[in-house]
Amino acid sequence: MKAATGSIAALAITGAGCQTAVAAPLKDVPVSQVGMLLLSCVLLLAAHGLNQLRRRAQQRHRATLLQLDRQQERYRSLVENLHVVSWEMSFPSLRFTYVSPHAVDLLGLPASDWLEPGFLVRQVHPQDNARVQEQLREQANCGQGRSFDFRLQRADGSSTWVRAVINSVSTEEYEAIALQGLLIDVQEQKQVEQALRTSQKKFASVFHNCPDVIVLADAAEGRLLAVNQTFEEQFGLTASQAEGRTVTELGLWPEPDTGPGLLTRLNTQPESNLEVCLRRLDGSEFVGLLSSRAVSLDEQPILVVVIRDISALKLTQEQLRLSEQKFSRAFHASPDGLLITRASDGMLLDVNDGFCLITGYSRERALGQSTQALQIWRNADDRRRMVDMLERDGRVRNMLSQITTAEGQVREVEISTEAISIDNQACMLSIARDVTERLAMESSLRQAATVFENTNEGVLITDADGCVVAVNQAFTRITGLPESHLLGEPLRILSGTTENRQLIEEASNALAEQGHWQGEAWNRRANGELYAAWINISQVLNVDGTLNHLVAVFSDITPLKQTQARLDHQAHHDPLTGLPNRTLFEARLRDALHASQLNADSSIGALLFIDLDRFKQINDSLGHSVGDSLLQLVSERLCSVLREIDTVARHGGDEFIVLLPKLPSDSDAAAVADKLLALFRRPFVCTGHEFFVSASIGISLFPRDAEDVDSLIKHADAAMYRAKNQGRNRYAFYTSDLTVTAQHRMEMENDMRRGLERNEFILHYQPKQDLASGNLNGVEALVRWQHPQRGLVDPDQFIPLAEETGLIVDLGRRIIDLACAQIADWRHAGLALPRVAINVSGVQLIGTQLVTDLRRALSEHDIPASLLELEITEDFVMNQNREAIHLLELFRDMNIQLAIDDFGTGYSSLAYLKELPLDTLKIDRSFVAGLPGSHHDAAISQTIIVLAHNLGMSVVAEGVETPEQRQLLLEQGCDSVQGYLISAPLPPTQFVTTFLKTVPSHQSSHPV
């Protein structure tokens, strides 16, 4: 039994395919035969199952390998059939170890070339090489996948854009980092992108550089979506300011109701060449030619609007119309014969009255006929000669010809012709002047040379060769040369008497080119005396244009030159004292400064500014004649102690200024100042009056204190004021601490600038009263400065500084805005408004900026210009001449009233004053202050009132403070008064309460 059991176990083990078997010793285990059999069966079944599992695993492995091979084959086929290049390379050598077949199609190079060392570096575009290597190096270092674009060079030398998609993997084969990925041909994509960018650039370039305004607008509401640069330049608005808003909201329509109706029209139908009126941000208007199309952009309906500025075209058309009108008027008004003929056959297209007068043919008979048919040309060849000259020279000038009139008379005419085109047809415009009488007169003049013997001008006549044929007695008297010494001699015999030899050549050239010459020359008489002559030399031509003779006429202008010298002296010297005036003094000071800069020596120069102490009291108490005599005596004393190289000048009023060049030291300047002060210790005797006058002297040195004229004078002036402040009758040198005043002025200027920014300037209002009725008939707006520290500052403290610094322009603009805004408020409140006067500085009246500011303010506040009056100082108006008249006429055209302020304080020319478009004349308060006691002031006020009324102007007297002044002005016929008797300047609220009344419902708010 044991033996059988062992056999079965062995068989089971053998059948299971086991190579070895380990069995536990069975000798100690009591096993039955049946149990052993069962055990053997179990083992046999287990072995069989294991064999089945192994076979199945082997089958699955083989199937998996087969499937993997198939997938690799499909992947390889897919990759090789795609239009991409799969590749693998080693790093850092950057050598391809594999590329797919499409690599040949990408660059036109075989795969074997790809696998060569350095292939990638050779084929990458030079501009991309460094970037590509850097990308590969970063990929190898970081290991994260990436993609980038670069250019590869084809076999034919062209380049193509590719996109690299790469990864890095480790490989044991190369014992290094391997890079693998794809190369995708993106050349077409790049071209599309470049075309898109180019298209966008072209659109942007055309859009923004178009000379016409182009806007894209929302079709529904008309809001601007985009505007070009021409829009910004034309309207003065930036794109950011305009986009998102309508044209109406931007205020670009002169008529606000234009926008909605036009938007509806543009949405209904396309528009082309629609004329519209538009307004710029600065208020100016222009005419535009509008075209519009409705399009859809991103499914949004929009309007594309193009506007062309045709203001210049409109102006040109108007100018053309005026030009044609002027030509027509000139054509028919000319006393000469004017005719327009057709060049081909000479048909008369138009003639004027002058032609009819010369030829005797009426206009109706002449038009439509040719000049040949009318037999106007006495010699038919003359027309051909004229046409040939026109074709050869482009014009015909003064061609002599003979014509036959309708009555058969022969007339001499001088013809000038220009080629013109009418309806693309060659024509000629001819001017025919009847010179029959002139030629006869010239012939007579050539034979009657003795007519010149009775003239006071010297006359010399030469023949065509330039030899003297005649001189008159005046020529002999002026030159001292007898006629016998000149007749038959060439004209050059007189060249020796001329001081300027260049004039001879100049005259010869002018005679050759223009036929005449005139000019001034200094000559010598026969006795050697120098004299000035004004000479006029002309050619006298024969009928055929050849030279017949020369006629020279000259006048002795020596007395005139002497008069000019006196006038020049008067222009550079003070008429009262005879001293150099400011212009001449500054020129000498400028020369002295220049000389001191050129010389390196240690000498200095000094400037002494002298002001007479309390001179005004003498002038006012004793009269201007005594004051003038005193100034003459002072000038004589000053000149008596100075050197010849020194200059003393009258600077103005009672101020004198002394130039002391080449002083050894500044102590010499002090010594001269002491010497000048000593001159005033002696009394002055003027017209029976004896009195003492002292002086204050300021000294500035150059080049130490300054190196320019203005600074030196200012420094000396500042030092003079120091001398006055120290007690007068002394001198003071300029020192740097005098700049404290300048510092104060600078602080004041800065405060004014900040005040303008912070709206610290306000207006008070002073009424004007009609003398006849006692009613309010005007108001003057007066500026005040509400300073945060100084309180309410009067204009006398800041207006002069504002004018000096130019801040008066901004301040004046602020005053205009405040006044117009206040007028608008009063109108809206229903108050009866007087005309509001605004003071205008002379600085504001330079140029046309004030006109622009007024138009803007009137438009912005919607008030009529008739509510404004401008008060302009007399001095400015008198100094500006014709420019002032033009500017005042602009204001008058705007319906703004004009008044001349402070009349009588300047130097008005009555002949000039009558030309000014003024409405009101204001008598300065200095003349009113002396009324009624001063007979002089009363006479002056009476004269001004009569003068103004005769010139058609009303009169306002300023500074009226007493009833007596008011009564006298009423009796003298003055129209209105202004001053503290009526009211001091008041704030707006108080002015309304005191003087303004509500307008009845049936009346309009206009000037009272």
Side-chain angles (χ1 to χ4, degrees):
M1 188 67 176
K2 291 180 179 179
T5 303
S7 299
I8 292 171
L11 181 60
I13 294 170
T14 302
C18 296
Q19 299 296 325
T20 59
V22 180
L26 300 176
K27 57 182 181 180
D28 296 331
V29 179
V31 180
S32 68
Q33 189 173 3
V34 176
M36 291 299 295
L37 181 58
L38 292 173
L39 178 62
S40 297
C41 289
V42 170
L43 293 174
L44 182 60
L45 291 172
H48 179 71
L50 290 173
N51 284 332
Q52 289 293 328
L53 291 172
R54 185 179 66 181
R55 283 195 297 273
R56 291 174 182 173
Q58 289 175 349
Q59 290 174 357
R60 286 196 298 272
H61 178 65
R62 285 194 297 273
T64 300
L65 291 177
L66 179 61
Q67 184 179 5
L68 180 61
D69 289 341
R70 290 175 179 172
Q71 289 177 347
Q72 289 178 345
E73 184 64 27
R74 285 197 299 272
Y75 170 73
R76 182 180 298 105
S77 175
L78 177 63
V79 170
E80 291 179 353
N81 288 313
L82 286 174
H83 289 285
V84 298
V85 178
S86 60
W87 53 271
E88 186 176 10
M89 68 168 54
S90 60
F91 186 84
S93 66
L94 302 182
R95 178 179 180 182
F96 288 108
T97 57
Y98 167 76
V99 293
S100 63
H102 187 58
V104 177
D105 299 331
L106 182 63
L107 299 183
L109 295 172
S112 57
D113 289 356
W114 285 70
L115 302 179
E116 292 179 358
F119 175 82
L120 179 64
V121 176
R122 291 195 303 274
Q123 295 306 123
V124 173
H125 194 281
Q127 295 180 0
D128 299 341
N129 212 324
R131 179 170 58 85
V132 170
Q133 295 189 42
E134 180 62 25
Q135 290 283 349
L136 294 173
R137 182 161 46 252
E138 292 180 358
Q139 173 63 32
N141 292 335
C142 70
Q144 296 180 352
R146 67 181 62 207
S147 67
F148 57 90
D149 297 346
F150 64 95
R151 289 168 289 181
L152 286 174
Q153 294 179 326
R154 299 179 185 271
D156 59 3
S158 63
S159 61
T160 183
W161 279 95
V162 297
R163 179 168 295 151
V165 181
I166 59 175
N167 284 294
S168 56
V169 297
S170 299
T171 173
E172 296 179 356
E173 180 181 354
Y174 298 104
E175 297 180 353
I177 296 174
L179 303 176
Q180 58 183 206
L182 300 176
L183 290 178
I184 304 171
D185 188 351
V186 294
Q187 176 67 16
E188 184 176 352
Q189 176 185 344
K190 288 290 185 179
Q191 290 175 343
V192 172
E193 292 174 354
Q194 179 62 33
L196 179 59
R197 286 192 297 270
T198 302
S199 177
Q200 292 173 341
K201 288 181 180 178
K202 288 180 179 178
F203 171 76
S205 177
V206 172
F207 183 73
H208 288 291
N209 293 311
C210 179
D212 297 331
V213 172
I214 303 177
V215 300
L216 305 181
D218 172 34
E221 299 181 358
R223 298 194 178 278
L224 303 185
L225 304 177
V227 299
N228 66 350
Q229 293 177 358
T230 305
F231 176 93
E232 297 177 330
E233 296 167 357
Q234 181 67 262
F235 290 100
L237 290 167
T238 64
S240 60
Q241 292 173 324
E243 291 171 359
R245 303 175 68 185
T246 66
V247 177
T248 301
E249 291 172 348
L250 293 172
L252 304 185
W253 297 116
E255 297 295 334
D257 297 335
T258 304
L262 181 60
L263 179 62
T264 302
R265 181 174 177 178
L266 297 183
N267 277 308
T268 305
Q269 60 183 8
E271 288 290 347
S272 297
N273 301 331
L274 176 65
E275 287 191 12
V276 294
C277 186
L278 293 158
R279 180 167 57 198
R280 301 182 181 88
L281 186 62
D282 61 5
S284 60
E285 298 181 4
F286 69 96
V287 179
L289 204 62
L290 183 147
S291 299
S292 171
R293 293 292 183 275
V295 299
S296 178
L297 182 64
D298 294 335
E299 299 183 356
Q300 178 187 0
I302 67 171
L303 294 174
V304 180
V305 182
V306 180
I307 301 173
R308 173 169 297 175
D309 184 356
I310 61 171
S311 300
L313 176 61
K314 286 289 187 181
L315 179 61
T316 302
Q317 291 174 343
E318 179 64 17
Q319 291 175 342
L320 178 60
R321 185 187 67 81
L322 293 175
S323 177
E324 292 175 347
Q325 188 180 59
K326 291 177 181 177
F327 172 77
S328 177
R329 290 178 178 176
F331 182 84
H332 291 287
S334 175
D336 294 329
L338 272 71
L339 59 155
I340 299 176
T341 58
R342 197 159 57 195
S344 59
D345 55 7
M347 178 178 287
L348 291 166
L349 303 179
D350 199 3
V351 298
N352 71 341
D353 292 342
F355 172 88
C356 299
L357 183 64
I358 294 174
T359 64
Y361 291 101
S362 66
R363 191 167 184 270
E364 292 75 13
R365 183 180 177 188
L367 294 184
Q369 298 290 328
S370 68
T371 54
Q372 295 93 324
L374 294 176
Q375 297 182 346
I376 292 178
W377 301 97
R378 185 183 186 195
N379 186 346
D381 292 336
D382 282 356
R383 182 180 186 277
R384 171 52 50 194
R385 180 162 62 95
M386 181 184 71
V387 173
D388 291 343
M389 291 174 61
L390 185 63
E391 293 176 350
R392 183 184 69 248
D393 303 329
R395 61 175 59 182
V396 176
R397 285 290 177 268
N398 303 330
M399 186 188 86
L400 285 175
S401 179
Q402 291 181 330
I403 65 168
T404 303
T405 67
E407 293 78 17
Q409 295 179 347
V410 176
R411 306 292 294 177
E412 299 279 351
V413 294
E414 196 174 66
I415 302 175
S416 296
T417 301
E418 293 278 353
I420 61 174
S421 178
I422 300 177
D423 296 332
N424 296 323
Q425 192 174 26
C427 298
M428 297 184 297
L429 171 63
S430 299
I431 302 175
R433 176 170 295 175
D434 189 343
V435 294
T436 306
E437 288 77 12
R438 192 193 76 185
L439 294 178
M441 185 179 297
E442 289 177 353
S443 177
S444 298
L445 290 175
R446 285 192 295 269
Q447 300 173 6
T450 56
V451 71
F452 297 107
E453 291 295 338
N454 297 320
T455 182
N456 291 325
E457 287 77 20
V459 179
L460 178 145
I461 302 174
T462 72
D463 58 18
D465 297 326
C467 295
V468 178
V469 296
V471 295
N472 66 349
Q473 295 180 1
F475 179 93
T476 301
R477 184 181 69 254
I478 295 173
T479 64
L481 298 172
E483 180 182 15
S484 58
H485 290 182
L486 296 175
L487 294 180
E489 297 293 332
L491 186 60
R492 61 176 177 271
I493 192 174
L494 298 175
S495 61
T497 64
T498 302
E499 291 293 296
N500 187 352
R501 302 299 175 89
Q502 293 181 349
L503 284 179
I504 299 176
E505 182 179 355
E506 178 185 332
S508 299
N509 294 335
L511 286 171
E513 296 175 2
Q514 304 171 14
H516 68 276
W517 175 85
Q518 65 178 1
E520 179 183 309
W522 283 93
N523 301 325
R524 291 194 178 274
R525 310 186 202 273
N527 60 3
E529 180 184 349
L530 195 65
Y531 71 98
W534 180 258
I535 305 173
N536 194 318
I537 306 176
S538 300
Q539 293 180 341
V540 178
L541 303 179
N542 294 313
V543 176
D544 59 359
T546 58
L547 178 66
N548 183 276
H549 57 268
L550 289 176
V551 177
V553 180
F554 68 97
S555 303
D556 186 353
I557 59 172
T558 306
L560 176 63
K561 300 298 289 184
Q562 293 171 347
T563 301
Q564 289 178 342
R566 288 194 300 270
L567 292 176
D568 181 70
H569 181 272
Q570 294 173 2
H572 293 88
H573 290 77
D574 177 51
L576 177 63
T577 62
L579 296 175
N581 59 14
R582 185 183 303 182
T583 301
L584 179 57
F585 180 84
E586 290 182 356
R588 292 183 181 179
L589 176 56
R590 197 173 291 109
D591 293 340
L593 285 170
H594 182 65
S596 68
Q597 293 170 354
L598 295 178
N599 298 330
D601 55 24
S602 59
S603 64
I604 63 172
L607 204 65
L608 276 62
F609 201 100
I610 306 171
D611 183 84
L612 303 184
D613 298 329
R614 299 183 179 88
F615 174 78
K616 187 176 184 303
Q617 297 178 1
I618 298 174
N619 213 25
D620 293 343
S621 61
L622 299 179
H624 291 286
S625 60
V626 176
D628 291 346
S629 299
L630 174 60
L631 293 176
Q632 292 171 340
L633 293 175
V634 170
S635 64
E636 293 174 1
R637 289 193 186 182
L638 293 177
C639 294
S640 66
V641 297
L642 295 176
R643 302 172 298 176
E644 291 185 359
I645 63 173
D646 299 334
T647 299
V648 57
R650 185 184 179 196
H651 192 259
D654 61 338
E655 296 174 342
F656 296 86
I657 191 166
V658 178
L659 171 63
L660 304 174
K662 297 182 180 180
L663 295 176
S665 66
D666 55 358
S667 60
D668 294 279
V672 174
D674 283 327
K675 187 184 299 184
L676 295 178
L677 290 174
L679 296 175
F680 294 91
R681 295 186 187 130
R682 292 183 286 114
F684 291 90
V685 179
C686 298
T687 62
H689 299 278
E690 181 181 89
F691 42 80
F692 290 88
V693 177
S694 62
S696 300
I697 302 176
I699 305 173
S700 62
L701 304 175
F702 61 90
R704 187 186 73 181
D705 293 336
E707 295 184 354
D708 63 275
V709 171
D710 292 339
S711 297
L712 277 171
I713 294 176
K714 288 180 181 178
H715 293 343
D717 189 21
M720 182 272 293
Y721 277 106
R722 166 175 282 182
K724 280 189 176 293
N725 293 333
Q726 291 176 348
R728 295 185 174 87
N729 194 24
R730 63 188 68 231
Y731 65 83
F733 280 92
Y734 169 78
T735 57
S736 59
D737 63 334
L738 291 177
T739 58
V740 173
T741 302
Q743 181 66 30
H744 175 70
R745 292 178 73 258
M746 184 179 298
E747 291 174 358
M748 177 72 80
E749 179 182 349
N750 293 336
D751 283 350
M752 288 185 64
R753 294 184 188 277
R754 286 191 290 268
L756 287 170
E757 296 173 358
R758 300 170 182 173
N759 297 326
E760 294 174 1
F761 291 91
I762 61 175
L763 293 182
H764 283 189
Y765 298 87
Q766 187 174 35
K768 300 176 185 177
Q769 185 185 69
D770 180 77
L771 278 175
S773 64
N775 295 329
L776 178 72
N777 69 342
V779 57
E780 182 176 5
L782 300 169
V783 67
R784 299 292 186 268
W785 184 4
Q786 190 66 53
H787 195 280
Q789 285 81 36
R790 299 188 182 99
L792 197 64
V793 182
D794 287 335
D796 292 342
Q797 301 181 33
F798 61 87
I799 289 295
L801 179 60
E803 291 180 337
E804 293 176 10
T805 60
L807 286 174
I808 193 66
V809 176
D810 293 334
L811 179 58
R813 187 178 298 113
R814 173 65 177 164
I815 292 172
I816 291 172
D817 287 337
L818 288 173
C820 290
Q822 186 64 71
I823 294 172
D825 291 342
W826 285 342
R827 292 186 74 207
H828 294 157
L831 299 175
L833 297 183
R835 185 175 290 108
V836 179
I838 301 173
N839 287 284
V840 177
S841 169
V843 179
Q844 294 175 260
L845 291 164
I846 298 175
T848 59
Q849 183 60 44
L850 180 59
V851 179
T852 302
D853 291 340
L854 285 168
R855 286 174 175 166
R856 175 192 54 77
L858 291 171
S859 174
E860 180 178 337
H861 298 289
D862 190 24
I863 62 174
S866 58
L867 286 174
L868 283 184
E869 181 181 50
L870 300 183
E871 293 191 1
I872 304 167
T873 60
E874 176 190 16
D875 287 341
F876 173 80
V877 174
M878 291 305 116
N879 291 334
Q880 298 303 310
N881 297 327
R882 293 297 170 186
E883 296 179 5
I885 296 178
H886 175 66
L887 191 61
L888 297 182
E889 288 173 346
L890 285 178
F891 295 139
R892 171 60 66 83
D893 293 340
M894 294 171 63
N895 203 21
I896 296 175
Q897 295 287 306
L898 298 172
I900 183 168
D901 198 9
D902 300 333
F903 184 79
T905 60
Y907 300 91
S908 297
S909 167
L910 298 182
Y912 181 52
L913 185 62
K914 70 180 182 180
E915 299 180 18
L916 301 178
L918 299 171
D919 304 288
T920 304
L921 187 150
K922 298 190 72 176
I923 303 175
D924 186 68
R925 65 182 65 248
S926 62
F927 299 118
V928 176
L931 300 179
S934 173
H935 297 292
H936 294 290
D937 288 344
I940 291 174
S941 62
Q942 180 68 72
T943 301
I944 293 175
I945 292 169
V946 173
L947 169 66
H949 287 168
N950 288 337
L951 294 176
M953 292 184 284
S954 62
V955 182
V956 178
E958 295 182 297
V960 176
E961 299 182 356
T962 67
E964 292 78 9
Q965 293 173 338
R966 183 184 184 282
Q967 181 61 32
L968 177 61
L969 291 168
L970 175 62
E971 294 171 357
Q972 290 183 338
C974 183
D975 300 296
S976 304
V977 293
Q978 176 183 356
Y980 277 71
L981 177 63
I982 313 303
S983 173
L986 301 175
T989 303
Q990 188 175 352
F991 182 83
V992 169
T993 304
T994 309
F995 292 100
L996 296 187
K997 299 178 181 179
T998 303
V999 179
S1001 59
H1002 63 277
Q1003 295 180 357
S1004 60
S1005 178
H1006 287 293
V1008 297

